[in-house]
Amino acid sequence: GTKTLYNPPLKGVRILDMTRVLAGPYCTMLLADLGAEIIKVEHPLFGDETRTWRPPTVHHVSTYFVTINRSKKSLALDIKKERGIDILQDLAKKS
């Protein structure tokens, strides 16, 4: 038989996701589904507010948040501090 290997069209593309709530996270979810590496940047104390949308939940996190952020990496970063800005700029250069 013939083997078909899925080669995602966005494989090798890195996207820095600084969006929150609905439209932005949905768009980056679709990009992740197409193979892009998504790095979601969140507030260091609160994270994305959709983490707390209830019910329903999975392990105390809203199922909306778990679903919409599937396949994404997550980074808590304080971009009000110099170190946070440095990290963000470094990530942006590589994205």
Side-chain angles (χ1 to χ4, degrees):
T2 303
K3 280 189 174 183
T4 303
L5 298 176
Y6 177 62
N7 190 16
L10 296 181
K11 184 177 181 176
V13 173
R14 176 185 282 170
I15 297 171
L16 194 54
D17 179 7
M18 299 190 61
T19 66
R20 32 180 278 288
V21 186
L22 298 174
Y26 179 75
C27 290
T28 55
M29 176 193 72
L30 295 176
L31 295 169
D33 289 348
L34 292 169
E37 175 189 14
I38 308 295
I39 300 175
K40 180 174 178 63
V41 178
E42 297 185 62
H43 188 281
L45 298 177
F46 312 112
D48 186 320
E49 51 268 51
T50 63
R51 285 178 180 271
T52 62
W53 285 8
R54 291 177 170 60
T57 63
V58 174
H59 304 290
H60 306 291
V61 178
S62 79
T63 54
Y64 168 82
F65 180 86
V66 172
T67 303
I68 207 80
N69 291 295
R70 66 177 182 247
S71 304
K72 298 179 186 179
K73 296 177 180 178
S74 183
L75 173 66
L77 194 59
D78 188 346
I79 58 173
K80 292 184 179 181
K81 297 194 174 169
E82 187 174 337
R83 181 71 181 132
I85 292 169
D86 291 343
I87 292 169
L88 182 63
Q89 288 175 337
D90 187 51
L91 284 170
K93 289 176 188 173
K94 297 174 184 173
S95 298

Coordinates of all heavy atoms in Angstrom, one line a residue:
G1 N 0.8 -1.2 0.0 CA 0.0 0.0 0.0 C 0.9 1.2 0.0 O 2.0 1.2 0.2
T2 N 0.2 2.3 -0.3 CA 0.8 3.6 -0.3 C 0.7 4.3 1.1 O -0.3 4.3 1.7 CB 0.1 4.6 -1.3 OG1 0.2 3.9 -2.6 CG2 0.8 5.9 -1.4
K3 N 1.9 4.8 1.6 CA 1.9 5.5 2.8 C 1.8 7.0 2.6 O 2.5 7.5 1.7 CB 3.2 5.3 3.6 CG 3.2 4.0 4.3 CD 4.5 4.0 5.2 CE 4.5 2.8 6.1 NZ 5.6 2.7 7.0
T4 N 0.9 7.7 3.3 CA 0.8 9.1 3.2 C 1.2 9.7 4.5 O 0.7 9.4 5.5 CB -0.7 9.5 2.9 OG1 -1.1 8.9 1.7 CG2 -0.8 11.0 2.7
L5 N 2.2 10.6 4.5 CA 2.7 11.3 5.6 C 2.2 12.7 5.6 O 2.3 13.4 4.6 CB 4.2 11.3 5.7 CG 4.9 9.9 5.8 CD1 6.4 10.1 5.7 CD2 4.5 9.2 7.1
Y6 N 1.6 13.1 6.7 CA 1.0 14.5 6.8 C 2.2 15.5 7.0 O 2.9 15.3 7.9 CB 0.0 14.6 7.9 CG -0.5 16.0 8.1 CD1 -1.3 16.6 7.1 CD2 -0.3 16.7 9.3 CE1 -1.8 17.9 7.2 CE2 -0.8 17.9 9.4 CZ -1.5 18.5 8.4 OH -2.0 19.8 8.6
N7 N 2.3 16.4 6.1 CA 3.3 17.5 6.2 C 2.6 18.8 6.4 O 2.2 19.4 5.4 CB 4.2 17.5 5.0 CG 5.4 18.4 5.2 OD1 5.7 18.8 6.3 ND2 6.0 18.8 4.1
P8 N 2.4 19.2 7.6 CA 1.6 20.4 7.9 C 2.2 21.6 7.1 O 3.4 21.8 7.1 CB 1.7 20.6 9.4 CG 2.2 19.4 9.9 CD 3.0 18.7 8.8
P9 N 1.3 22.5 6.5 CA 1.8 23.6 5.7 C 2.6 24.7 6.5 O 3.4 25.4 6.0 CB 0.5 24.2 5.1 CG -0.6 23.7 5.9 CD -0.1 22.3 6.5
L10 N 2.3 24.8 7.8 CA 3.0 25.8 8.6 C 4.1 25.2 9.5 O 4.6 25.9 10.4 CB 1.9 26.6 9.5 CG 0.9 27.4 8.7 CD1 0.0 28.1 9.6 CD2 1.6 28.3 7.7
K11 N 4.5 24.0 9.3 CA 5.6 23.4 10.0 C 6.8 24.2 9.9 O 7.2 24.6 8.8 CB 5.8 21.9 9.6 CG 6.9 21.2 10.4 CD 7.1 19.8 9.9 CE 8.1 19.2 10.8 NZ 8.3 17.8 10.5
G12 N 7.4 24.5 11.0 CA 8.6 25.3 11.0 C 8.4 26.8 11.2 O 9.3 27.6 11.4
V13 N 7.1 27.2 11.3 CA 6.7 28.6 11.5 C 6.5 28.8 13.0 O 5.7 28.0 13.6 CB 5.5 29.0 10.7 CG1 5.0 30.4 11.1 CG2 5.8 28.9 9.2
R14 N 7.1 29.8 13.6 CA 6.8 30.1 15.0 C 6.0 31.4 15.1 O 6.4 32.4 14.5 CB 8.1 30.3 15.8 CG 7.9 30.7 17.3 CD 9.1 31.0 18.0 NE 9.7 29.7 18.4 CZ 11.0 29.6 18.9 NH1 11.7 30.7 19.0 NH2 11.4 28.5 19.3
I15 N 5.0 31.3 15.9 CA 4.1 32.5 16.1 C 4.0 32.8 17.6 O 3.8 32.0 18.4 CB 2.7 32.2 15.5 CG1 2.8 32.0 14.0 CG2 1.7 33.4 15.9 CD1 1.5 31.5 13.4
L16 N 4.3 34.1 17.9 CA 4.2 34.6 19.2 C 2.8 35.1 19.5 O 2.3 36.0 18.8 CB 5.2 35.7 19.4 CG 5.6 36.2 20.8 CD1 6.0 35.0 21.7 CD2 6.7 37.2 20.7
D17 N 2.1 34.5 20.4 CA 0.6 34.8 20.6 C 0.5 35.6 21.9 O 0.6 35.1 23.0 CB -0.1 33.4 20.7 CG -1.6 33.6 20.9 OD1 -2.1 34.8 20.9 OD2 -2.3 32.6 21.2
M18 N 0.1 36.8 21.7 CA -0.1 37.7 22.8 C -1.6 38.1 22.9 O -2.0 39.0 23.6 CB 0.8 39.0 22.7 CG 2.2 38.6 22.7 SD 3.3 39.9 22.9 CE 2.9 40.6 24.4
T19 N -2.4 37.3 22.3 CA -3.9 37.5 22.3 C -4.5 36.9 23.5 O -3.9 36.1 24.2 CB -4.5 36.9 21.0 OG1 -4.4 35.5 21.1 CG2 -3.9 37.4 19.8
R20 N -5.8 37.3 23.8 CA -6.5 36.8 24.9 C -8.0 36.9 24.6 O -8.4 37.8 23.9 CB -6.2 37.5 26.2 CG -5.9 38.9 26.1 CD -5.6 39.5 27.5 NE -6.8 39.9 28.2 CZ -7.5 41.0 27.9 NH1 -7.3 41.7 26.8 NH2 -8.6 41.3 28.6
V21 N -8.8 35.9 25.0 CA -10.2 35.9 24.9 C -10.7 35.9 23.5 O -10.7 36.9 22.8 CB -10.9 37.1 25.7 CG1 -12.4 36.9 25.7 CG2 -10.3 37.1 27.1
L22 N -11.2 34.8 23.1 CA -12.0 34.5 21.8 C -11.2 34.6 20.5 O -10.6 33.7 20.1 CB -13.3 35.3 21.8 CG -14.2 35.0 22.9 CD1 -15.4 36.0 22.9 CD2 -14.7 33.6 22.9
A23 N -11.3 35.7 19.8 CA -10.9 35.8 18.4 C -9.4 35.4 18.2 O -9.0 34.6 17.4 CB -11.2 37.1 17.8
G24 N -8.5 36.1 19.0 CA -7.1 35.8 18.8 C -6.7 34.4 19.1 O -6.0 33.7 18.3
P25 N -7.1 33.9 20.3 CA -6.8 32.5 20.6 C -7.4 31.5 19.6 O -6.7 30.5 19.3 CB -7.3 32.3 22.0 CG -7.3 33.6 22.6 CD -7.6 34.6 21.5
Y26 N -8.5 31.8 19.1 CA -9.1 30.9 18.1 C -8.3 30.9 16.8 O -8.0 29.8 16.2 CB -10.6 31.3 17.8 CG -11.2 30.5 16.7 CD1 -11.7 29.2 17.0 CD2 -11.4 30.9 15.4 CE1 -12.2 28.4 16.1 CE2 -11.9 30.1 14.4 CZ -12.4 28.8 14.8 OH -12.9 28.0 13.8
C27 N -7.9 32.1 16.4 CA -7.0 32.1 15.2 C -5.7 31.4 15.3 O -5.3 30.6 14.5 CB -6.7 33.6 14.8 SG -8.2 34.4 14.2
T28 N -5.0 31.6 16.5 CA -3.8 30.9 16.7 C -4.0 29.4 16.9 O -3.1 28.6 16.6 CB -3.0 31.5 17.9 OG1 -3.8 31.5 19.1 CG2 -2.5 32.9 17.5
M29 N -5.2 29.0 17.4 CA -5.5 27.5 17.5 C -5.5 27.0 16.1 O -4.9 25.9 15.8 CB -6.8 27.3 18.1 CG -7.3 25.9 18.2 SD -9.0 25.6 18.6 CE -9.8 26.2 17.1
L30 N -6.1 27.7 15.1 CA -6.2 27.2 13.7 C -4.8 27.1 13.1 O -4.4 26.2 12.4 CB -7.1 28.1 12.9 CG -8.5 28.1 13.3 CD1 -9.3 29.1 12.4 CD2 -9.2 26.7 13.1
L31 N -3.9 28.1 13.4 CA -2.6 28.1 12.9 C -1.8 26.9 13.5 O -1.0 26.3 12.8 CB -1.9 29.4 13.2 CG -2.5 30.6 12.5 CD1 -1.9 31.9 13.1 CD2 -2.3 30.5 11.0
A32 N -2.0 26.6 14.8 CA -1.4 25.5 15.4 C -1.8 24.2 14.8 O -1.0 23.3 14.5 CB -1.7 25.4 16.9
D33 N -3.1 24.1 14.5 CA -3.7 22.9 13.8 C -3.0 22.7 12.4 O -2.9 21.6 11.9 CB -5.2 23.0 13.6 CG -6.0 22.9 14.9 OD1 -5.4 22.5 15.9 OD2 -7.2 23.2 14.9
L34 N -2.5 23.8 11.8 CA -1.9 23.7 10.5 C -0.4 23.5 10.7 O 0.4 23.6 9.7 CB -2.2 25.0 9.7 CG -3.6 25.1 9.2 CD1 -3.8 26.5 8.7 CD2 -3.9 24.1 8.2
G35 N 0.1 23.3 11.9 CA 1.5 22.9 12.1 C 2.4 24.0 12.7 O 3.6 23.7 13.0
A36 N 1.9 25.2 12.9 CA 2.8 26.3 13.4 C 3.1 26.0 14.9 O 2.2 25.4 15.6 CB 2.1 27.6 13.3
E37 N 4.2 26.5 15.3 CA 4.6 26.4 16.8 C 4.0 27.7 17.3 O 4.4 28.8 16.9 CB 6.1 26.4 16.9 CG 6.5 26.5 18.4 CD 8.0 26.6 18.6 OE1 8.7 26.9 17.6 OE2 8.5 26.4 19.7
I38 N 3.1 27.6 18.3 CA 2.5 28.8 18.9 C 3.1 28.9 20.3 O 3.0 28.0 21.1 CB 1.0 28.7 19.0 CG1 0.4 28.3 17.6 CG2 0.4 29.9 19.6 CD1 0.6 29.4 16.6
I39 N 3.6 30.1 20.7 CA 4.0 30.4 22.0 C 3.1 31.5 22.6 O 3.1 32.6 22.1 CB 5.5 30.9 22.1 CG1 6.4 29.8 21.5 CG2 5.9 31.3 23.5 CD1 7.9 30.3 21.4
K40 N 2.2 31.1 23.5 CA 1.2 31.9 24.1 C 1.9 32.6 25.3 O 2.3 32.0 26.2 CB 0.0 31.1 24.5 CG -1.1 32.0 25.2 CD -2.3 31.1 25.4 CE -3.4 31.9 26.1 NZ -3.9 33.0 25.3
V41 N 1.9 34.0 25.3 CA 2.4 34.8 26.4 C 1.3 35.2 27.2 O 0.3 35.8 26.8 CB 3.2 36.0 25.8 CG1 3.7 36.8 27.0 CG2 4.4 35.5 24.9
E42 N 1.4 34.9 28.5 CA 0.4 35.2 29.5 C 0.9 36.1 30.6 O 2.1 36.0 30.9 CB -0.2 34.0 30.1 CG -0.9 33.1 29.0 CD -1.6 31.9 29.7 OE1 -2.5 32.1 30.5 OE2 -1.2 30.8 29.4
H43 N 0.0 36.8 31.3 CA 0.3 37.5 32.5 C 0.9 36.6 33.6 O 0.3 35.5 33.8 CB -0.9 38.2 33.0 CG -0.7 39.2 34.1 ND1 -0.5 38.8 35.4 CD2 -0.5 40.5 34.1 CE1 -0.2 39.9 36.2 NE2 -0.3 40.9 35.4
P44 N 2.0 36.9 34.3 CA 2.6 36.0 35.2 C 1.7 35.7 36.4 O 1.9 34.6 37.0 CB 3.9 36.7 35.6 CG 3.6 38.2 35.3 CD 2.7 38.2 34.2
L45 N 0.8 36.6 36.8 CA 0.0 36.3 38.0 C -1.4 35.7 37.7 O -1.9 34.9 38.4 CB -0.2 37.5 38.8 CG 1.1 38.1 39.4 CD1 0.8 39.4 40.2 CD2 1.8 37.2 40.3
F46 N -2.0 36.2 36.6 CA -3.4 35.9 36.3 C -3.5 35.0 35.1 O -4.6 34.3 35.0 CB -4.2 37.2 36.1 CG -4.0 38.2 37.1 CD1 -3.3 39.4 36.8 CD2 -4.4 38.0 38.4 CE1 -3.1 40.3 37.8 CE2 -4.2 39.0 39.4 CZ -3.5 40.1 39.1
G47 N -2.6 34.9 34.2 CA -2.7 34.1 33.0 C -3.8 34.7 32.1 O -4.3 35.8 32.3
D48 N -4.3 33.9 31.2 CA -5.5 34.3 30.4 C -6.7 34.1 31.2 O -6.9 33.1 31.8 CB -5.5 33.4 29.1 CG -6.5 33.8 28.1 OD1 -7.7 34.1 28.5 OD2 -6.2 33.7 26.9
E49 N -7.6 35.2 31.2 CA -8.8 35.1 32.1 C -9.7 34.0 31.7 O -10.5 33.6 32.5 CB -9.5 36.4 32.1 CG -9.8 37.1 30.8 CD -8.8 38.1 30.3 OE1 -7.6 37.7 30.3 OE2 -9.1 39.2 30.0
T50 N -9.6 33.4 30.5 CA -10.5 32.3 30.1 C -10.1 31.0 30.9 O -10.9 30.1 30.8 CB -10.5 32.1 28.6 OG1 -9.2 31.7 28.2 CG2 -11.0 33.3 27.8
R51 N -9.0 31.0 31.5 CA -8.7 29.8 32.4 C -9.8 29.6 33.4 O -10.0 28.5 33.9 CB -7.3 30.0 33.1 CG -6.1 29.9 32.2 CD -4.9 30.1 33.0 NE -3.7 30.0 32.2 CZ -3.0 28.8 32.1 NH1 -3.5 27.7 32.6 NH2 -1.9 28.8 31.3
T52 N -10.4 30.7 33.9 CA -11.4 30.6 35.0 C -12.8 30.6 34.5 O -13.7 30.5 35.3 CB -11.2 31.8 35.9 OG1 -11.5 33.0 35.2 CG2 -9.8 31.9 36.5
W53 N -13.1 30.6 33.2 CA -14.4 30.5 32.7 C -15.0 29.1 33.1 O -14.5 28.1 32.7 CB -14.5 30.6 31.2 CG -14.3 32.0 30.7 CD1 -13.9 33.1 31.4 CD2 -14.4 32.5 29.4 NE1 -13.8 34.2 30.6 CE2 -14.1 33.9 29.4 CE3 -14.8 31.9 28.2 CZ2 -14.2 34.6 28.2 CZ3 -14.8 32.6 27.0 CH2 -14.5 34.0 27.0
R54 N -16.1 29.1 33.9 CA -16.7 27.9 34.4 C -18.2 27.9 34.2 O -18.8 29.0 34.2 CB -16.4 27.7 35.8 CG -14.9 27.4 36.0 CD -14.6 27.3 37.5 NE -13.3 26.8 37.8 CZ -12.1 27.3 37.5 NH1 -12.1 28.4 36.8 NH2 -11.0 26.8 37.9
P55 N -18.9 26.8 34.2 CA -18.4 25.4 34.0 C -18.3 25.2 32.5 O -18.7 26.1 31.7 CB -19.5 24.6 34.6 CG -20.7 25.4 34.5 CD -20.3 26.8 34.5
P56 N -17.9 24.1 32.0 CA -17.3 23.0 32.7 C -15.8 23.2 32.8 O -15.2 24.1 32.2 CB -17.6 21.8 31.8 CG -17.7 22.4 30.4 CD -18.2 23.8 30.6
T57 N -15.1 22.3 33.6 CA -13.7 22.4 33.8 C -13.0 21.0 33.7 O -13.7 20.0 33.8 CB -13.3 23.0 35.2 OG1 -13.8 22.0 36.2 CG2 -13.9 24.3 35.4
V58 N -11.7 21.1 33.4 CA -10.9 19.9 33.4 C -9.7 20.2 34.3 O -9.0 21.1 34.1 CB -10.4 19.5 32.0 CG1 -9.4 18.4 32.0 CG2 -11.5 19.2 31.1
H59 N -9.6 19.5 35.4 CA -8.5 19.7 36.4 C -8.5 21.2 36.8 O -7.5 21.9 36.9 CB -7.2 19.3 35.9 CG -7.1 17.9 35.4 ND1 -7.1 16.8 36.3 CD2 -7.0 17.3 34.2 CE1 -7.1 15.7 35.7 NE2 -7.0 16.0 34.4
H60 N -9.7 21.8 37.1 CA -9.9 23.1 37.6 C -9.5 24.2 36.6 O -9.3 25.4 36.9 CB -9.1 23.4 38.9 CG -9.4 22.3 39.9 ND1 -10.6 22.3 40.6 CD2 -8.7 21.3 40.4 CE1 -10.6 21.3 41.4 NE2 -9.5 20.7 41.3
V61 N -9.4 23.9 35.3 CA -9.2 24.8 34.2 C -10.4 24.7 33.3 O -10.8 23.6 32.9 CB -7.9 24.6 33.5 CG1 -7.7 25.6 32.3 CG2 -6.7 24.7 34.5
S62 N -10.9 25.8 32.8 CA -12.0 25.8 31.9 C -11.8 25.0 30.6 O -10.7 25.0 30.1 CB -12.5 27.2 31.5 OG -11.7 27.7 30.5
T63 N -12.8 24.3 30.2 CA -12.7 23.4 29.0 C -12.5 24.3 27.8 O -11.9 23.9 26.8 CB -13.9 22.5 28.8 OG1 -15.1 23.3 28.8 CG2 -13.9 21.4 29.9
Y64 N -13.1 25.5 27.8 CA -12.8 26.5 26.7 C -11.3 26.8 26.6 O -10.8 26.7 25.5 CB -13.6 27.8 26.9 CG -13.2 28.9 26.0 CD1 -13.7 28.9 24.7 CD2 -12.2 29.8 26.3 CE1 -13.2 29.9 23.8 CE2 -11.7 30.7 25.4 CZ -12.3 30.8 24.1 OH -11.8 31.7 23.2
F65 N -10.7 27.1 27.7 CA -9.3 27.4 27.7 C -8.4 26.2 27.2 O -7.6 26.4 26.3 CB -8.8 27.9 29.0 CG -7.3 28.2 29.0 CD1 -6.9 29.5 28.7 CD2 -6.4 27.2 29.4 CE1 -5.5 29.8 28.7 CE2 -5.0 27.5 29.3 CZ -4.6 28.8 29.0
V66 N -8.7 25.0 27.7 CA -8.0 23.8 27.3 C -8.2 23.6 25.8 O -7.2 23.3 25.1 CB -8.5 22.6 28.1 CG1 -7.9 21.3 27.6 CG2 -8.2 22.8 29.6
T67 N -9.4 23.7 25.3 CA -9.6 23.5 23.9 C -9.0 24.5 23.0 O -8.3 24.2 22.0 CB -11.1 23.4 23.6 OG1 -11.7 22.5 24.5 CG2 -11.5 23.1 22.2
I68 N -9.2 25.8 23.3 CA -8.7 26.8 22.4 C -7.2 27.0 22.4 O -6.6 27.5 21.5 CB -9.4 28.2 22.7 CG1 -9.5 29.1 21.5 CG2 -8.8 28.9 23.8 CD1 -10.6 28.8 20.6
N69 N -6.6 26.5 23.4 CA -5.1 26.6 23.5 C -4.4 25.3 23.3 O -3.2 25.1 23.7 CB -4.7 27.2 24.8 CG -5.1 28.7 24.9 OD1 -4.6 29.5 24.1 ND2 -6.1 29.0 25.7
R70 N -5.1 24.3 22.7 CA -4.4 23.0 22.5 C -3.2 23.2 21.5 O -3.2 24.1 20.7 CB -5.4 22.0 21.8 CG -5.9 22.5 20.5 CD -6.8 21.4 19.9 NE -7.3 21.8 18.5 CZ -8.5 22.1 18.2 NH1 -9.4 22.1 19.1 NH2 -8.8 22.5 16.9
S71 N -2.3 22.4 21.7 CA -1.1 22.4 20.9 C -0.2 23.7 21.0 O 0.7 23.9 20.2 CB -1.4 22.2 19.4 OG -2.2 21.0 19.2
K72 N -0.5 24.5 22.0 CA 0.3 25.7 22.2 C 1.3 25.6 23.4 O 1.0 24.9 24.3 CB -0.6 26.9 22.5 CG -1.6 27.2 21.3 CD -2.4 28.4 21.7 CE -3.5 28.7 20.7 NZ -4.4 29.8 21.0
K73 N 2.4 26.2 23.3 CA 3.3 26.4 24.4 C 2.8 27.6 25.2 O 2.3 28.5 24.6 CB 4.7 26.5 24.0 CG 5.2 25.3 23.2 CD 6.6 25.5 22.7 CE 7.1 24.3 22.0 NZ 8.4 24.5 21.4
S74 N 3.1 27.7 26.5 CA 2.6 28.8 27.2 C 3.8 29.4 28.1 O 4.6 28.6 28.6 CB 1.5 28.4 28.2 OG 1.0 29.5 28.9
L75 N 3.8 30.7 28.1 CA 4.9 31.3 28.9 C 4.3 32.5 29.7 O 3.6 33.3 29.1 CB 5.9 31.9 27.9 CG 7.0 32.8 28.4 CD1 8.0 31.9 29.3 CD2 7.8 33.4 27.3
A76 N 4.6 32.5 31.0 CA 4.1 33.6 31.8 C 5.3 34.6 31.8 O 6.4 34.3 32.2 CB 3.9 33.1 33.3
L77 N 4.9 35.8 31.4 CA 6.0 36.8 31.2 C 5.5 38.2 31.7 O 4.4 38.6 31.3 CB 6.3 36.8 29.8 CG 7.6 37.5 29.3 CD1 8.8 36.9 30.0 CD2 7.7 37.4 27.8
D78 N 6.2 38.9 32.5 CA 5.9 40.2 33.0 C 6.6 41.2 32.0 O 7.8 41.5 32.2 CB 6.3 40.4 34.4 CG 5.8 41.7 35.0 OD1 5.4 42.6 34.2 OD2 5.9 41.9 36.2
I79 N 5.8 41.7 31.1 CA 6.4 42.6 30.1 C 6.4 44.1 30.6 O 6.8 45.0 29.8 CB 5.7 42.5 28.8 CG1 4.2 42.9 28.9 CG2 5.8 41.2 28.1 CD1 3.4 43.0 27.6
K80 N 6.2 44.3 31.9 CA 6.4 45.6 32.5 C 7.8 45.7 33.1 O 8.2 46.8 33.5 CB 5.3 45.9 33.6 CG 3.9 46.0 33.0 CD 2.9 46.4 34.0 CE 1.5 46.6 33.4 NZ 0.6 46.9 34.4
K81 N 8.5 44.6 33.1 CA 9.8 44.6 33.7 C 10.8 44.4 32.5 O 10.5 43.8 31.5 CB 10.0 43.4 34.7 CG 9.1 43.6 35.9 CD 9.4 42.8 37.0 CE 8.5 43.2 38.2 NZ 8.6 42.3 39.3
E82 N 12.0 45.0 32.8 CA 13.1 44.9 31.7 C 13.4 43.5 31.2 O 13.5 43.3 30.1 CB 14.3 45.6 32.2 CG 15.4 45.8 31.2 CD 16.5 46.6 31.6 OE1 16.4 47.4 32.6 OE2 17.6 46.5 31.0
R83 N 13.5 42.6 32.2 CA 13.8 41.2 31.8 C 12.7 40.6 30.9 O 13.0 39.9 30.0 CB 14.1 40.4 33.1 CG 14.4 38.9 32.8 CD 15.8 38.8 32.2 NE 16.1 37.4 31.9 CZ 16.6 37.0 30.8 NH1 16.9 37.8 29.8 NH2 16.8 35.7 30.6
G84 N 11.5 40.9 31.3 CA 10.4 40.4 30.5 C 10.4 41.0 29.1 O 10.1 40.3 28.1
I85 N 10.7 42.3 29.0 CA 10.8 42.9 27.6 C 11.9 42.3 26.8 O 11.7 42.0 25.6 CB 11.0 44.4 27.8 CG1 9.7 45.1 28.4 CG2 11.3 45.1 26.5 CD1 9.9 46.5 28.8
D86 N 13.0 42.0 27.5 CA 14.2 41.4 26.8 C 13.8 40.0 26.2 O 14.1 39.7 25.1 CB 15.4 41.3 27.7 CG 16.0 42.6 28.1 OD1 15.7 43.6 27.3 OD2 16.8 42.6 29.0
I87 N 13.1 39.2 27.0 CA 12.7 37.9 26.6 C 11.7 38.0 25.5 O 11.8 37.3 24.5 CB 12.1 37.1 27.8 CG1 13.2 36.8 28.8 CG2 11.4 35.8 27.3 CD1 12.7 36.3 30.2
L88 N 10.7 38.9 25.6 CA 9.7 39.1 24.6 C 10.4 39.5 23.2 O 10.1 39.0 22.2 CB 8.7 40.1 25.0 CG 7.6 40.4 24.0 CD1 6.7 39.1 23.8 CD2 6.7 41.5 24.5
Q89 N 11.3 40.4 23.3 CA 12.0 40.9 22.1 C 12.8 39.7 21.5 O 12.9 39.6 20.2 CB 12.9 42.1 22.4 CG 12.1 43.3 22.6 CD 13.0 44.5 23.1 OE1 14.1 44.3 23.6 NE2 12.4 45.7 22.9
D90 N 13.5 38.9 22.3 CA 14.2 37.8 21.8 C 13.3 36.8 21.1 O 13.6 36.3 20.0 CB 15.0 37.1 22.9 CG 15.9 36.1 22.4 OD1 16.7 36.3 21.5 OD2 15.9 34.9 23.0
L91 N 12.2 36.5 21.7 CA 11.2 35.6 21.1 C 10.7 36.2 19.7 O 10.5 35.5 18.8 CB 10.0 35.4 22.0 CG 10.3 34.4 23.2 CD1 9.1 34.4 24.1 CD2 10.5 33.0 22.6
A92 N 10.4 37.5 19.7 CA 9.9 38.1 18.5 C 10.9 38.0 17.4 O 10.5 37.8 16.2 CB 9.5 39.6 18.8
K93 N 12.2 38.2 17.7 CA 13.2 38.1 16.6 C 13.2 36.7 16.0 O 13.6 36.5 14.9 CB 14.6 38.4 17.2 CG 14.8 39.8 17.6 CD 16.1 40.0 18.2 CE 16.3 41.4 18.7 NZ 17.5 41.6 19.5
K94 N 12.8 35.7 16.8 CA 12.9 34.3 16.4 C 11.5 33.8 15.8 O 11.4 32.6 15.5 CB 13.4 33.4 17.5 CG 14.7 33.7 18.0 CD 15.1 32.9 19.2 CE 16.4 33.2 19.8 NZ 16.7 32.6 21.0
S95 N 10.6 34.7 15.8 CA 9.2 34.3 15.4 C 8.9 34.8 14.0 O 9.5 35.7 13.5 CB 8.2 34.7 16.4 OG 8.4 34.1 17.7

